Amino acid sequence: MEFSIKQSSPEKQRSACIVLGVFEGGQLSHAAQILDQAAGHPLSKLVTRGDVTGKTGNTVLLHTLSGVSAERVLLIGLGKAEEFNAKQFLDALRTAFAALQKTICKDAALYFTDLAVGQRDEAWKINQIVLLAAESAYRCDQLKSKPADKPSLRKILLACAKKPGNAAQTALHQAGAIARGMKLTKDLGNLPGNICTPTYLAEQAGKLAETYKLKATVLEEKDMEKLGMHSLLSVTRGSRQPAKLITLEYRGGDKKQKPVVLVGKGLTFDSGGISLKPGATMDEMKYDMCGAASVLGTMQAIAEMGLKLNVVAVIPSSENMPDGAASKPGDIVKSMAGLTIEILNTDAEGRLILCDALTYAARFEPDTVVDIATLTGACVIALGGVASGLFSNQDALARELAEAGEYSNDKAWHMPLWDDYQQQLDSNFADLQNIGGREAGSITAACFLSRFTKNYRWAHLDIAGTAWKSGKDKGSTGRPVPLLTRYLIQRAQAAK
Ligand code: BES
Ligand code: MN
Ligand code: ZN
């Protein structure tokens, strides 16, 4: 989809469709008032008649109004004016795009950027409009023998009363990059495990490197052996697919600036291994590489933006399968950091590949390390699909990430990482064990990772509940690309 922003008056705008907001009780938004006046009050008449209520979810599509250059006018209910907030704004946009997608319109002009939404600035509104438009156009037909009907809607104009400034243009450009990054993340996430293997992810990283002039490196199992990554290697033992450790370096900042390192869990299929998962919904474990996919999507987005920041992606990728060679409950392995780990449950494999990747991340002399992982079912129970779990060894970093999530409507909730939980990982036979019992499962998983991140500023995002949706609308969400890109944009701003 193509996006542009410009000053435009609704009655003169030549588009297939003009989209205007109306508040509950029939109070027209400013742009709707202007059009109503120019066209001889057709909107006011519909309000009086009761067709246009302005209630949330109310949509009315009008054709060929006299005095209006556009072919159609779509009216969207905004809800109560006094209560108009970010959620109502976003709900109205979702309604608008769903309605537009049902028409044959190739282009539309939205008069939404001038609506006052609490303290939210213009850049925020631009971002949300672009991301929701892209969301409504997303189709996953990569593997259908006939492509899905392409959405007819191709162009969106963000119409403003005043000429938009540089900040608005930058926001539009960045939002487009984020939307494309999310598309990459969704496409990778939705691919099945027989196609999206560790090798496939490595190839995708190579393609990104070629397109955006990044540096990609792929470590093979023999390289990992030399580095002593026996924890990571223990996970891939039961698989026929070779594991990969993928790194991708984007150097947009000062040479001396220490990078932000993003570590993404890349389990291309998690069967549980010998601690085999139950069969129902096991297909969803193809999504166990969504951390990796979100890191690749974020790298693409910031490279496209040309962000002035150094960012390195580290992606440990493997399958977790049962087999004669697979790890068994009770096995003890030595991690790259030297700590020995008793594997009490082979299904707690994410932390086993992440711990060696986190140790490896220190090579890049990071300023900050953020790992992103579909790590625990317990996090889904705690926070559902609304917020990702957020853990950190530094409160200021947790605050920055939580704010980035709040801003981008890609929420993350700060969870505790108190030492009181660490004892749940005590092992009788090794330095630690890989599970901490039923209680506080997402926290003990984070505690496990914290043992390997003592030498740098670190945060962990558990995206088990937010990376994909189950049920009828099953599919990857592209989260937390909005959160991560917002965080990095803020970091680049601060580095100036
Ligand atoms: N990939 C899963 C986590 C997961 C489960 C994400 C369900 C989304 C939905 C992870 O590798 C896993 O299996 N974790 C176990 C850990 C347990 C054995 C301590 C879990 O959450 O059940
Ligand atoms: Mn698992
Ligand atoms: Zn897993």
Side-chain angles (χ1 to χ4, degrees):
M1 212 182 277
E2 273 175 53
F3 298 94
S4 58
I5 186 164
K6 69 164 201 202
Q7 178 181 31
S8 141
S9 33
E11 77 283 11
K12 292 192 202 116
Q13 178 62 39
R14 290 185 184 283
S15 294
C17 192
I18 300 276
V19 188
L20 300 167
V22 181
F23 292 102
E24 198 167 324
Q27 184 194 331
L28 304 180
S29 63
H30 188 64
Q33 281 173 31
I34 293 175
L35 182 132
D36 193 42
Q37 200 114 53
H41 302 287
L43 309 189
S44 303
K45 279 180 200 141
L46 287 171
V47 167
T48 315
R49 220 159 62 181
D51 285 300
V52 172
T53 64
K55 282 190 181 151
T56 307
N58 178 248
T59 67
V60 175
L61 182 63
L62 306 170
H63 296 261
T64 38
L65 294 178
S66 69
V68 176
S69 305
E71 290 158 19
R72 299 169 194 78
V73 174
L74 176 63
L75 300 173
I76 301 292
L78 301 173
K80 294 202 174 90
E82 334 59 276
E83 288 169 13
F84 193 66
N85 58 17
K87 184 172 180 303
Q88 281 184 295
F89 180 76
L90 300 175
D91 285 344
L93 282 171
R94 277 189 206 99
T95 306
F97 289 121
L100 277 173
Q101 294 290 0
K102 288 194 194 117
T103 69
I104 57 158
C105 297
K106 292 199 176 72
D107 69 301
L110 256 80
Y111 291 75
F112 270 59
T113 15
D114 290 329
L115 293 173
V117 188
Q119 299 301 307
R120 308 288 187 167
D121 60 10
E122 192 182 32
W124 180 85
K125 288 183 265 187
I126 292 168
N127 246 285
Q128 295 303 328
I129 293 171
V130 169
L131 295 191
L132 287 174
E135 169 81 37
S136 77
Y138 182 77
R139 303 280 182 281
C140 187
D141 59 357
Q142 307 174 82
L143 298 173
K144 303 246 190 201
S145 52
K146 286 197 203 91
D149 287 338
K150 285 263 170 286
S152 47
L153 190 62
R154 301 306 304 266
K155 283 188 189 167
I156 301 280
L157 170 67
L158 285 69
C160 317
K162 288 197 196 106
K163 188 170 182 292
N166 285 340
Q169 293 293 354
T170 305
L172 188 73
H173 174 233
Q174 292 187 336
I178 297 168
R180 283 181 283 277
M182 286 176 80
K183 176 164 163 40
L184 174 65
T185 301
K186 288 186 202 178
D187 282 345
L188 289 173
N190 287 329
L191 280 175
N194 63 327
I195 294 176
C196 184
T197 58
T199 305
Y200 184 88
L201 282 181
E203 283 165 9
Q204 295 308 306
K207 279 194 186 156
L208 278 183
E210 221 169 89
T211 313
Y212 296 100
K213 313 244 180 308
L214 317 179
K215 182 178 166 198
T217 317
V218 179
L219 297 191
E220 305 294 335
E221 288 181 7
K222 60 179 189 320
D223 306 314
M224 298 184 229
E225 202 84 54
K226 280 187 204 130
L227 289 163
M229 297 182 163
H230 304 296
S231 182
L232 195 165
L233 288 167
S234 77
V235 175
T236 194
R237 289 178 55 92
S239 167
R240 311 265 170 106
Q241 293 291 337
K244 308 275 171 179
L245 184 74
I246 307 157
T247 63
L248 203 49
E249 293 174 57
Y250 170 75
R251 303 276 174 186
D254 202 86
K255 268 215 171 82
K256 286 191 208 116
Q257 183 196 72
K258 290 185 168 179
V260 175
V261 178
L262 303 176
V263 179
K265 174 177 171 182
L267 250 297
T268 59
F269 190 75
D270 176 14
S271 71
I274 297 298
S275 312
L276 194 65
K277 286 181 182 294
T281 72
M282 201 205 267
D283 66 292
E284 294 190 10
M285 282 301 117
K286 71 174 184 180
Y287 289 116
D288 213 15
M289 37 56 72
C290 281
S294 73
V295 169
L296 291 175
T298 300
M299 294 303 278
Q300 178 183 296
I302 61 165
E304 201 188 311
M305 289 175 200
L307 214 60
K308 292 195 166 55
L309 197 69
N310 296 331
V311 184
V312 178
V314 175
I315 296 174
S317 183
S318 88
E319 280 185 340
N320 183 23
M321 298 294 275
D323 175 85
S327 291
K328 303 168 289 297
D331 283 1
I332 295 178
V333 295
K334 191 174 197 163
S335 63
M336 183 182 175
L339 289 174
T340 56
I341 303 163
E342 185 183 14
I343 303 172
L344 286 177
N345 189 322
T346 65
D347 197 11
E349 84 300 334
R351 59 199 83 180
L352 295 176
I353 67 166
L354 285 169
C355 70
D356 281 342
L358 287 165
T359 303
Y360 187 74
R363 306 210 147 188
F364 296 98
E365 296 180 38
D367 171 87
T368 306
V369 177
V370 182
D371 78 71
I372 303 98
T374 47
L375 202 62
T376 64
C379 194
V380 191
I381 302 300
L383 299 171
V386 176
S388 303
L390 163 59
F391 303 82
S392 179
N393 60 9
Q394 201 213 48
D395 282 347
L397 173 60
R399 224 171 296 130
E400 283 172 46
L401 288 164
E403 271 171 26
E406 168 76 35
Y407 179 90
S408 56
N409 194 34
D410 182 7
K411 297 184 187 73
W413 188 253
H414 190 184
M415 303 273 281
L417 199 59
W418 294 309
D419 282 343
D420 311 56
Y421 293 102
Q422 291 283 353
Q423 58 174 19
Q424 287 179 243
L425 298 173
D426 289 350
S427 158
N428 286 353
F429 308 108
D431 296 334
L432 75 167
Q433 59 187 39
N434 79 329
I435 53 171
R438 256 171 56 80
E439 293 176 5
S442 69
I443 302 176
T444 52
C447 283
F448 183 97
L449 300 179
S450 77
R451 305 281 184 106
F452 300 86
T453 59
K454 296 205 160 123
N455 299 329
Y456 48 69
R457 198 146 63 118
W458 159 77
H460 157 60
L461 288 167
D462 192 333
I463 59 166
T466 54
W468 77 90
K469 285 186 190 149
S470 310
K472 190 169 76 53
D473 295 325
K474 193 189 287 182
S476 175
T477 60
R479 290 176 70 181
V481 172
L483 180 157
L484 292 171
T485 46
R486 170 69 185 173
Y487 168 69
L488 295 172
I489 289 169
Q490 295 289 95
R491 288 285 311 247
Q493 280 281 321
K496 262 190 199 162

